[in-house]
Amino acid sequence: MLGWLRRRRIRARGVTRPVRSEAVEATRVELAELAPGPQAYLGQLAYLTLVLFENLGRGAAVSPTVSGKSRLGRVAAEVLEIHEAVLAELDSRRFDPAESMEPHRALLDDFQRRTMGDDWHEILMTCYLSSGFLLDFFAGLAAGLPGGLSDRISALLSDDEAEDLLVAELRDALDDNARLASRLAMWGRRLVGDMMLVARSALDIESRSDGEERVEPVFTELIAAHTRRMDALGLTA
Amino acid sequence: MLGWLRRRRIRARGVTRPVRSEAVEATRVELAELAPGPQAYLGQLAYLTLVLFENLGRGAAVSPTVSGKSRLGRVAAEVLEIHEAVLAELDSRRFDPAESMEPHRALLDDFQRRTMGDDWHEILMTCYLSSGFLLDFFAGLAAGLPGGLSDRISALLSDDEAEDLLVAELRDALDDNARLASRLAMWGRRLVGDMMLVARSALDIESRSDGEERVEPVFTELIAAHTRRMDALGLTA
């Protein structure tokens, strides 16, 4: 009976899952003012998509079902499409892709190690929450890029079909499994700090005297979007 | 001096690296007669591409360079494109993708475990040799599929740009490193048996009295192509 109720609540909530463009709209003004230059932005986003790809590969390798593997494959294909497009943007500006990614390597490798997850469900949560949080964030940050580039990157990051696949996979697992739900709620809370650290590292806070002030509403909105993402699974953030 | 000679030999040999279509041409007749039905063929190829994707993700995660990570990402994107196209073919025949892949899971998971490799270079060799050998093999086997499907799959598998990226990455590593060369030559030899097992499992040998006879030239040609692939790295098969 309770299980049925919970399931219904999860399904109903699913409809209100935030769309990427909504989640970032509120913070576009603040983000635009804190955006780094094109090379730093593109370099970090390119390396981030490699990290997400590796996490998805690791998830696929431990998936208990063939369909889970295949879903993660589809998400990885989307993430790699973003990666290729970002490399092309670097290339067209005559920035060397590898050189542009290098400065972001240590921090993102560290992020990857800390948020790795121990099993299929934790890896899946990491894939869902970190791609949601960080690609949302980079979509918002794109507001501070030069005109044409800003539009192309925003369009590239606006498709969150991949997120739907991860939500579907997680919902299947969470259905009627209260113990897993509480474990994943904990895991979700643990990830927030690490994701914020990555987001913060991408911002140009120091060069403005009111940097800290401006960054506040951005993080408030990112956490609100994270809460909605947890909500979509019926989990407490 | 010797290093320089070896390097020149590798570079020179690289030009003769076999193109997929050549490698399979010789065996198309034999393979056509031993081909399984569309569901078995597509299901195994779909699952195989997932295994290759996971291996590439694992390789990217341990890549010592950012450019290596990125190259493996590009190869993975190509492998996942094949995966998606094969799923679409299953779908259009009203075969459930997950159900069609399931029968091939145990054997391919086992293959993956046995050929995993311990470090960046072994993983890279596994990615290069197993995608070369097995996608070559499936390209040849496509000759036995019904007309339209056969053509589409052949076209899908004919692009081996991905292989060039892996060859380039391996050559960079092998340049002037005799110890690594001998270790990877060993690793390459170890992989042959496991790859043959996978290829054999895809063939319908038992239902024909001359199955074993017909399968001989196929394996001879697959091993010859494998030797050319090792050759392209300046390694002895």
Side-chain angles (χ1 to χ4, degrees), chain A residues 47 50 53-54 56-57 60-61 63-67 69-70 72-74 76-77 80 83-84 87 98 101-102 105 109, chain B residues 47 50 53-54 56-57 60-61 63-67 69-70 72-74 76-77 80 83-84 87 98 101-102 105 109:
Chain A
Y47 198 83
L50 285 178
F53 150 61
E54 291 166 17
L56 290 161
S63 167
T65 64
V66 172
S67 62
K69 254 183 213 292
S70 198
L72 261 57
R74 183 159 306 174
L80 288 169
H83 178 71
E84 294 292 313
L87 289 197
M101 289 190 264
E102 193 65 52
R105 185 178 195 180
D109 280 358
Chain B
Y47 198 84
L50 286 179
F53 150 61
E54 291 165 17
L56 290 161
S63 167
T65 63
V66 171
S67 62
K69 254 184 213 293
S70 198
L72 263 56
R74 183 159 305 174
L80 288 169
H83 178 71
E84 295 290 316
L87 289 197
M101 289 189 263
E102 192 65 52
R105 186 180 193 176
D109 281 358

Short mmCIF file of all heavy atoms in Angstrom, two decimals, chain A residues 47 50 53-54 56-57 60-61 63-67 69-70 72-74 76-77 80 83-84 87 98 101-102 105 109, chain B residues 47 50 53-54 56-57 60-61 63-67 69-70 72-74 76-77 80 83-84 87 98 101-102 105 109:
data_model
loop_
_atom_site.label_atom_id
_atom_site.label_comp_id
_atom_site.label_asym_id
_atom_site.label_seq_id
_atom_site.Cartn_x
_atom_site.Cartn_y
_atom_site.Cartn_z
N TYR A 47 36.71 18.95 -21.00
CA TYR A 47 37.24 17.93 -20.09
C TYR A 47 36.13 17.33 -19.23
O TYR A 47 36.12 16.13 -18.96
CB TYR A 47 38.36 18.50 -19.22
CG TYR A 47 39.21 17.41 -18.62
CD1 TYR A 47 40.25 16.82 -19.33
CD2 TYR A 47 38.93 16.89 -17.36
CE1 TYR A 47 41.00 15.78 -18.81
CE2 TYR A 47 39.67 15.85 -16.82
CZ TYR A 47 40.70 15.30 -17.55
OH TYR A 47 41.43 14.25 -17.03
N LEU A 50 34.41 14.57 -20.95
CA LEU A 50 35.19 13.33 -20.93
C LEU A 50 35.00 12.59 -19.61
O LEU A 50 34.85 11.36 -19.59
CB LEU A 50 36.68 13.62 -21.16
CG LEU A 50 37.10 13.98 -22.58
CD1 LEU A 50 38.60 14.28 -22.63
CD2 LEU A 50 36.75 12.84 -23.56
N PHE A 53 31.64 10.98 -19.67
CA PHE A 53 31.70 9.80 -20.55
C PHE A 53 32.33 8.61 -19.82
O PHE A 53 31.81 7.49 -19.86
CB PHE A 53 32.49 10.16 -21.82
CG PHE A 53 33.24 9.02 -22.46
CD1 PHE A 53 32.57 7.89 -22.93
CD2 PHE A 53 34.62 9.08 -22.61
CE1 PHE A 53 33.28 6.85 -23.53
CE2 PHE A 53 35.32 8.05 -23.20
CZ PHE A 53 34.66 6.92 -23.65
N GLU A 54 33.44 8.84 -19.12
CA GLU A 54 34.09 7.75 -18.41
C GLU A 54 33.18 7.18 -17.32
O GLU A 54 33.10 5.96 -17.14
CB GLU A 54 35.40 8.25 -17.77
CG GLU A 54 36.48 8.57 -18.79
CD GLU A 54 37.63 9.37 -18.19
OE1 GLU A 54 37.74 9.40 -16.94
OE2 GLU A 54 38.39 9.97 -18.96
N LEU A 56 29.96 7.15 -17.31
CA LEU A 56 28.89 6.39 -17.96
C LEU A 56 29.40 5.02 -18.42
O LEU A 56 28.70 4.02 -18.32
CB LEU A 56 28.31 7.18 -19.14
CG LEU A 56 27.49 8.42 -18.73
CD1 LEU A 56 27.37 9.40 -19.89
CD2 LEU A 56 26.11 8.01 -18.22
N GLY A 57 30.62 4.98 -18.92
CA GLY A 57 31.22 3.71 -19.32
C GLY A 57 31.36 2.78 -18.13
O GLY A 57 31.08 1.59 -18.21
N ALA A 60 27.91 1.54 -17.22
CA ALA A 60 27.45 0.50 -18.16
C ALA A 60 28.10 -0.84 -17.83
O ALA A 60 27.44 -1.89 -17.89
CB ALA A 60 27.77 0.91 -19.59
N ALA A 61 29.38 -0.80 -17.45
CA ALA A 61 30.10 -2.05 -17.19
C ALA A 61 29.53 -2.80 -15.99
O ALA A 61 29.65 -4.03 -15.92
CB ALA A 61 31.58 -1.75 -16.98
N SER A 63 26.24 -2.44 -14.98
CA SER A 63 24.77 -2.48 -15.06
C SER A 63 24.25 -3.90 -14.90
O SER A 63 24.74 -4.82 -15.55
CB SER A 63 24.30 -1.91 -16.40
OG SER A 63 22.93 -2.23 -16.58
N PRO A 64 23.25 -4.10 -14.04
CA PRO A 64 22.72 -5.45 -13.86
C PRO A 64 21.82 -5.89 -15.03
O PRO A 64 21.53 -7.06 -15.15
CB PRO A 64 21.89 -5.33 -12.56
CG PRO A 64 21.55 -3.88 -12.45
CD PRO A 64 22.63 -3.12 -13.14
N THR A 65 21.41 -4.96 -15.87
CA THR A 65 20.55 -5.33 -16.99
C THR A 65 21.16 -4.85 -18.32
O THR A 65 21.90 -3.86 -18.36
CB THR A 65 19.14 -4.69 -16.89
OG1 THR A 65 19.29 -3.27 -16.97
CG2 THR A 65 18.46 -5.08 -15.59
N VAL A 66 20.80 -5.57 -19.37
CA VAL A 66 21.24 -5.19 -20.71
C VAL A 66 20.64 -3.84 -21.11
O VAL A 66 21.30 -3.00 -21.71
CB VAL A 66 20.84 -6.28 -21.72
CG1 VAL A 66 21.11 -5.82 -23.14
CG2 VAL A 66 21.60 -7.57 -21.43
N SER A 67 19.37 -3.62 -20.73
CA SER A 67 18.73 -2.37 -21.12
C SER A 67 19.38 -1.18 -20.40
O SER A 67 19.49 -0.09 -20.96
CB SER A 67 17.23 -2.43 -20.84
OG SER A 67 17.00 -2.59 -19.46
N LYS A 69 22.57 -0.98 -19.55
CA LYS A 69 23.81 -0.77 -20.31
C LYS A 69 23.53 0.09 -21.54
O LYS A 69 24.24 1.02 -21.86
CB LYS A 69 24.31 -2.11 -20.82
CG LYS A 69 25.52 -2.68 -20.13
CD LYS A 69 25.93 -3.98 -20.83
CE LYS A 69 26.50 -4.99 -19.89
NZ LYS A 69 27.80 -4.63 -19.32
N SER A 70 22.48 -0.31 -22.25
CA SER A 70 22.16 0.33 -23.51
C SER A 70 21.73 1.78 -23.30
O SER A 70 22.10 2.67 -24.07
CB SER A 70 21.07 -0.47 -24.21
OG SER A 70 21.01 -0.15 -25.56
N LEU A 72 22.68 3.73 -20.85
CA LEU A 72 23.87 4.51 -20.54
C LEU A 72 24.70 4.77 -21.79
O LEU A 72 25.34 5.82 -21.93
CB LEU A 72 24.70 3.82 -19.45
CG LEU A 72 24.46 4.40 -18.05
CD1 LEU A 72 23.00 4.33 -17.65
CD2 LEU A 72 25.33 3.72 -17.01
N GLY A 73 24.68 3.80 -22.71
CA GLY A 73 25.34 4.00 -23.99
C GLY A 73 24.75 5.18 -24.73
O GLY A 73 25.47 6.00 -25.32
N ARG A 74 23.44 5.29 -24.70
CA ARG A 74 22.78 6.39 -25.40
C ARG A 74 23.14 7.73 -24.77
O ARG A 74 23.41 8.72 -25.46
CB ARG A 74 21.26 6.20 -25.40
CG ARG A 74 20.54 7.28 -26.17
CD ARG A 74 19.15 6.87 -26.60
NE ARG A 74 19.17 5.63 -27.36
CZ ARG A 74 18.08 4.98 -27.76
NH1 ARG A 74 16.88 5.47 -27.48
NH2 ARG A 74 18.16 3.87 -28.45
N ALA A 76 25.85 8.37 -23.10
CA ALA A 76 27.26 8.63 -23.43
C ALA A 76 27.39 9.19 -24.83
O ALA A 76 28.21 10.09 -25.08
CB ALA A 76 28.08 7.35 -23.28
N ALA A 77 26.60 8.69 -25.76
CA ALA A 77 26.66 9.21 -27.13
C ALA A 77 26.32 10.69 -27.15
O ALA A 77 26.97 11.47 -27.86
CB ALA A 77 25.70 8.42 -28.03
N LEU A 80 29.23 12.68 -25.63
CA LEU A 80 30.36 12.74 -26.56
C LEU A 80 30.09 13.68 -27.74
O LEU A 80 31.01 14.26 -28.31
CB LEU A 80 30.72 11.33 -27.05
CG LEU A 80 31.38 10.44 -25.99
CD1 LEU A 80 31.46 8.99 -26.46
CD2 LEU A 80 32.77 10.96 -25.63
N HIS A 83 31.03 16.91 -26.43
CA HIS A 83 32.50 16.97 -26.41
C HIS A 83 33.07 17.33 -27.79
O HIS A 83 33.89 18.24 -27.91
CB HIS A 83 33.06 15.62 -25.94
CG HIS A 83 34.56 15.55 -25.92
ND1 HIS A 83 35.32 16.24 -24.99
CD2 HIS A 83 35.44 14.91 -26.70
CE1 HIS A 83 36.59 16.01 -25.22
NE2 HIS A 83 36.71 15.21 -26.25
N GLU A 84 32.61 16.63 -28.81
CA GLU A 84 33.11 16.88 -30.17
C GLU A 84 32.81 18.30 -30.62
O GLU A 84 33.66 18.96 -31.23
CB GLU A 84 32.43 15.91 -31.16
CG GLU A 84 32.79 14.45 -30.98
CD GLU A 84 34.24 14.15 -31.32
OE1 GLU A 84 34.68 14.61 -32.38
OE2 GLU A 84 34.91 13.47 -30.51
N LEU A 87 35.15 20.69 -28.88
CA LEU A 87 36.49 20.62 -29.50
C LEU A 87 36.52 21.39 -30.81
O LEU A 87 37.50 22.08 -31.12
CB LEU A 87 36.90 19.17 -29.76
CG LEU A 87 37.24 18.26 -28.58
CD1 LEU A 87 38.00 17.04 -29.06
CD2 LEU A 87 38.03 18.98 -27.50
N ALA A 98 43.87 19.83 -26.48
CA ALA A 98 44.50 19.20 -25.32
C ALA A 98 45.06 20.26 -24.36
O ALA A 98 44.89 20.18 -23.15
CB ALA A 98 45.58 18.23 -25.76
N MET A 101 42.32 21.89 -22.36
CA MET A 101 41.70 21.05 -21.33
C MET A 101 42.62 20.87 -20.13
O MET A 101 42.17 20.74 -18.99
CB MET A 101 41.35 19.68 -21.92
CG MET A 101 40.18 19.69 -22.90
SD MET A 101 39.63 18.02 -23.34
CE MET A 101 40.52 17.74 -24.86
N GLU A 102 43.92 20.84 -20.42
CA GLU A 102 44.93 20.49 -19.39
C GLU A 102 44.77 21.23 -18.05
O GLU A 102 44.82 20.59 -17.00
CB GLU A 102 46.32 20.73 -19.98
CG GLU A 102 47.46 20.13 -19.18
CD GLU A 102 47.45 18.61 -19.11
OE1 GLU A 102 47.37 17.97 -20.17
OE2 GLU A 102 47.50 18.06 -17.98
N ARG A 105 42.33 19.66 -15.62
CA ARG A 105 42.43 18.22 -15.42
C ARG A 105 42.48 17.83 -13.94
O ARG A 105 41.71 16.97 -13.50
CB ARG A 105 43.71 17.74 -16.12
CG ARG A 105 43.85 16.29 -16.07
CD ARG A 105 45.09 15.83 -16.81
NE ARG A 105 44.99 14.42 -17.02
CZ ARG A 105 45.86 13.67 -17.63
NH1 ARG A 105 46.92 14.22 -18.14
NH2 ARG A 105 45.69 12.39 -17.76
N ASP A 109 39.67 15.58 -12.31
CA ASP A 109 40.05 14.20 -11.96
C ASP A 109 39.76 13.95 -10.48
O ASP A 109 39.29 12.88 -10.09
CB ASP A 109 41.55 13.96 -12.23
CG ASP A 109 41.83 13.69 -13.71
OD1 ASP A 109 40.86 13.65 -14.50
OD2 ASP A 109 43.01 13.52 -14.06
N TYR B 47 25.38 -5.99 -28.60
CA TYR B 47 26.01 -6.18 -27.29
C TYR B 47 27.53 -5.99 -27.39
O TYR B 47 28.15 -5.42 -26.49
CB TYR B 47 25.66 -7.55 -26.70
CG TYR B 47 25.93 -7.59 -25.21
CD1 TYR B 47 24.97 -7.12 -24.31
CD2 TYR B 47 27.14 -8.04 -24.70
CE1 TYR B 47 25.21 -7.10 -22.95
CE2 TYR B 47 27.39 -8.03 -23.33
CZ TYR B 47 26.42 -7.56 -22.46
OH TYR B 47 26.67 -7.54 -21.11
N LEU B 50 28.49 -2.46 -27.09
CA LEU B 50 28.46 -1.98 -25.71
C LEU B 50 29.74 -2.35 -24.97
O LEU B 50 30.30 -1.56 -24.21
CB LEU B 50 27.24 -2.55 -24.97
CG LEU B 50 25.88 -1.94 -25.32
CD1 LEU B 50 24.77 -2.63 -24.54
CD2 LEU B 50 25.87 -0.44 -25.04
N PHE B 53 32.46 -0.10 -26.13
CA PHE B 53 32.25 1.23 -25.51
C PHE B 53 32.77 1.25 -24.07
O PHE B 53 33.50 2.16 -23.67
CB PHE B 53 30.76 1.60 -25.58
CG PHE B 53 30.26 2.48 -24.45
CD1 PHE B 53 30.79 3.75 -24.24
CD2 PHE B 53 29.25 2.03 -23.61
CE1 PHE B 53 30.31 4.56 -23.20
CE2 PHE B 53 28.77 2.82 -22.57
CZ PHE B 53 29.31 4.09 -22.36
N GLU B 54 32.44 0.22 -23.30
CA GLU B 54 32.90 0.16 -21.91
C GLU B 54 34.43 0.11 -21.83
O GLU B 54 35.04 0.76 -21.00
CB GLU B 54 32.30 -1.06 -21.20
CG GLU B 54 30.80 -0.94 -20.98
CD GLU B 54 30.17 -2.28 -20.61
OE1 GLU B 54 30.91 -3.21 -20.21
OE2 GLU B 54 28.94 -2.42 -20.72
N LEU B 56 36.51 1.29 -23.98
CA LEU B 56 37.04 2.60 -24.35
C LEU B 56 36.91 3.58 -23.18
O LEU B 56 37.81 4.39 -22.94
CB LEU B 56 36.33 3.12 -25.59
CG LEU B 56 36.68 2.36 -26.88
CD1 LEU B 56 35.63 2.60 -27.96
CD2 LEU B 56 38.07 2.77 -27.39
N GLY B 57 35.80 3.50 -22.46
CA GLY B 57 35.60 4.36 -21.30
C GLY B 57 36.65 4.06 -20.23
O GLY B 57 37.22 4.97 -19.62
N ALA B 60 39.93 5.47 -21.44
CA ALA B 60 39.99 6.93 -21.29
C ALA B 60 40.28 7.31 -19.84
O ALA B 60 41.05 8.23 -19.57
CB ALA B 60 38.67 7.56 -21.75
N ALA B 61 39.69 6.56 -18.91
CA ALA B 61 39.85 6.88 -17.49
C ALA B 61 41.30 6.74 -17.02
O ALA B 61 41.71 7.40 -16.09
CB ALA B 61 38.92 6.01 -16.64
N SER B 63 43.97 7.03 -19.19
CA SER B 63 44.88 7.64 -20.16
C SER B 63 45.84 8.61 -19.49
O SER B 63 45.42 9.46 -18.71
CB SER B 63 44.07 8.38 -21.23
OG SER B 63 44.93 9.20 -21.98
N PRO B 64 47.13 8.50 -19.79
CA PRO B 64 48.09 9.42 -19.17
C PRO B 64 48.05 10.82 -19.78
O PRO B 64 48.60 11.74 -19.21
CB PRO B 64 49.44 8.75 -19.44
CG PRO B 64 49.22 7.90 -20.65
CD PRO B 64 47.77 7.49 -20.64
N THR B 65 47.41 10.96 -20.94
CA THR B 65 47.35 12.29 -21.56
C THR B 65 45.91 12.69 -21.85
O THR B 65 45.04 11.83 -22.04
CB THR B 65 48.10 12.34 -22.91
OG1 THR B 65 47.44 11.45 -23.82
CG2 THR B 65 49.55 11.91 -22.76
N VAL B 66 45.69 13.99 -21.88
CA VAL B 66 44.37 14.51 -22.19
C VAL B 66 44.00 14.18 -23.64
O VAL B 66 42.86 13.82 -23.94
CB VAL B 66 44.34 16.03 -21.97
CG1 VAL B 66 43.05 16.63 -22.50
CG2 VAL B 66 44.50 16.36 -20.50
N SER B 67 44.98 14.24 -24.53
CA SER B 67 44.67 13.96 -25.93
C SER B 67 44.31 12.48 -26.12
O SER B 67 43.46 12.16 -26.96
CB SER B 67 45.85 14.35 -26.83
OG SER B 67 46.99 13.58 -26.50
N LYS B 69 42.74 10.60 -23.90
CA LYS B 69 41.35 10.54 -23.43
C LYS B 69 40.40 10.96 -24.53
O LYS B 69 39.39 10.33 -24.80
CB LYS B 69 41.17 11.55 -22.29
CG LYS B 69 41.07 10.98 -20.89
CD LYS B 69 40.79 12.14 -19.93
CE LYS B 69 41.43 11.92 -18.56
NZ LYS B 69 40.85 10.82 -17.79
N SER B 70 40.74 12.07 -25.16
CA SER B 70 39.87 12.67 -26.15
C SER B 70 39.77 11.78 -27.39
O SER B 70 38.68 11.61 -27.97
CB SER B 70 40.41 14.06 -26.51
OG SER B 70 39.43 14.83 -27.14
N LEU B 72 40.08 8.51 -27.45
CA LEU B 72 39.23 7.38 -27.09
C LEU B 72 37.76 7.79 -27.05
O LEU B 72 36.88 6.99 -27.38
CB LEU B 72 39.67 6.75 -25.76
CG LEU B 72 40.57 5.52 -25.95
CD1 LEU B 72 41.79 5.81 -26.77
CD2 LEU B 72 40.95 4.89 -24.61
N GLY B 73 37.52 9.03 -26.65
CA GLY B 73 36.16 9.54 -26.69
C GLY B 73 35.60 9.54 -28.11
O GLY B 73 34.46 9.16 -28.35
N ARG B 74 36.45 9.93 -29.05
CA ARG B 74 36.01 9.97 -30.45
C ARG B 74 35.71 8.56 -30.97
O ARG B 74 34.72 8.33 -31.67
CB ARG B 74 37.06 10.65 -31.32
CG ARG B 74 36.62 10.78 -32.77
CD ARG B 74 37.37 11.85 -33.52
NE ARG B 74 37.29 13.13 -32.86
CZ ARG B 74 37.96 14.22 -33.24
NH1 ARG B 74 38.75 14.17 -34.30
NH2 ARG B 74 37.83 15.35 -32.59
N ALA B 76 34.84 6.03 -29.15
CA ALA B 76 33.62 5.58 -28.47
C ALA B 76 32.38 6.14 -29.14
O ALA B 76 31.36 5.46 -29.28
CB ALA B 76 33.66 5.97 -26.99
N ALA B 77 32.46 7.39 -29.56
CA ALA B 77 31.31 8.00 -30.24
C ALA B 77 30.97 7.21 -31.50
O ALA B 77 29.79 6.97 -31.80
CB ALA B 77 31.61 9.47 -30.58
N LEU B 80 29.39 3.86 -30.52
CA LEU B 80 28.01 4.04 -30.05
C LEU B 80 27.07 4.37 -31.20
O LEU B 80 25.88 4.06 -31.15
CB LEU B 80 27.96 5.12 -28.97
CG LEU B 80 28.58 4.70 -27.63
CD1 LEU B 80 28.75 5.90 -26.70
CD2 LEU B 80 27.73 3.62 -26.96
N HIS B 83 26.15 1.10 -32.45
CA HIS B 83 25.20 0.52 -31.50
C HIS B 83 23.78 1.03 -31.75
O HIS B 83 22.82 0.25 -31.86
CB HIS B 83 25.64 0.82 -30.06
CG HIS B 83 24.71 0.29 -29.01
ND1 HIS B 83 24.60 -1.05 -28.73
CD2 HIS B 83 23.84 0.92 -28.19
CE1 HIS B 83 23.69 -1.22 -27.77
NE2 HIS B 83 23.22 -0.05 -27.43
N GLU B 84 23.64 2.35 -31.84
CA GLU B 84 22.31 2.95 -32.04
C GLU B 84 21.68 2.48 -33.35
O GLU B 84 20.49 2.17 -33.40
CB GLU B 84 22.43 4.48 -32.08
CG GLU B 84 22.87 5.11 -30.77
CD GLU B 84 21.81 5.03 -29.69
OE1 GLU B 84 20.64 5.30 -30.00
OE2 GLU B 84 22.15 4.67 -28.55
N LEU B 87 20.46 -1.06 -32.97
CA LEU B 87 19.22 -1.10 -32.18
C LEU B 87 18.03 -0.68 -33.05
O LEU B 87 16.95 -1.25 -32.97
CB LEU B 87 19.31 -0.16 -30.98
CG LEU B 87 20.22 -0.54 -29.81
CD1 LEU B 87 19.85 0.28 -28.57
CD2 LEU B 87 20.15 -2.02 -29.48
N ALA B 98 16.76 -5.38 -25.88
CA ALA B 98 17.36 -6.02 -24.71
C ALA B 98 17.25 -7.55 -24.81
O ALA B 98 18.21 -8.28 -24.54
CB ALA B 98 16.71 -5.51 -23.44
N MET B 101 19.76 -8.93 -27.24
CA MET B 101 21.17 -8.90 -26.79
C MET B 101 21.44 -9.95 -25.71
O MET B 101 22.54 -10.48 -25.63
CB MET B 101 21.51 -7.50 -26.24
CG MET B 101 21.60 -6.41 -27.30
SD MET B 101 22.26 -4.85 -26.61
CE MET B 101 20.75 -3.95 -26.28
N GLU B 102 20.44 -10.20 -24.90
CA GLU B 102 20.60 -11.06 -23.72
C GLU B 102 21.32 -12.39 -23.97
O GLU B 102 22.22 -12.75 -23.22
CB GLU B 102 19.20 -11.31 -23.10
CG GLU B 102 19.21 -11.92 -21.72
CD GLU B 102 19.82 -11.01 -20.66
OE1 GLU B 102 19.40 -9.85 -20.57
OE2 GLU B 102 20.74 -11.47 -19.96
N ARG B 105 25.11 -12.18 -23.88
CA ARG B 105 25.70 -11.47 -22.75
C ARG B 105 26.80 -12.26 -22.04
O ARG B 105 27.91 -11.75 -21.84
CB ARG B 105 24.57 -11.16 -21.77
CG ARG B 105 25.02 -10.32 -20.65
CD ARG B 105 23.90 -10.01 -19.69
NE ARG B 105 24.36 -8.95 -18.82
CZ ARG B 105 23.64 -8.35 -17.91
NH1 ARG B 105 22.38 -8.70 -17.76
NH2 ARG B 105 24.16 -7.43 -17.15
N ASP B 109 30.52 -10.95 -21.93
CA ASP B 109 31.02 -10.48 -20.63
C ASP B 109 32.29 -11.24 -20.26
O ASP B 109 33.24 -10.67 -19.73
CB ASP B 109 29.96 -10.69 -19.53
CG ASP B 109 28.88 -9.61 -19.57
OD1 ASP B 109 28.97 -8.69 -20.40
OD2 ASP B 109 27.93 -9.69 -18.76
#
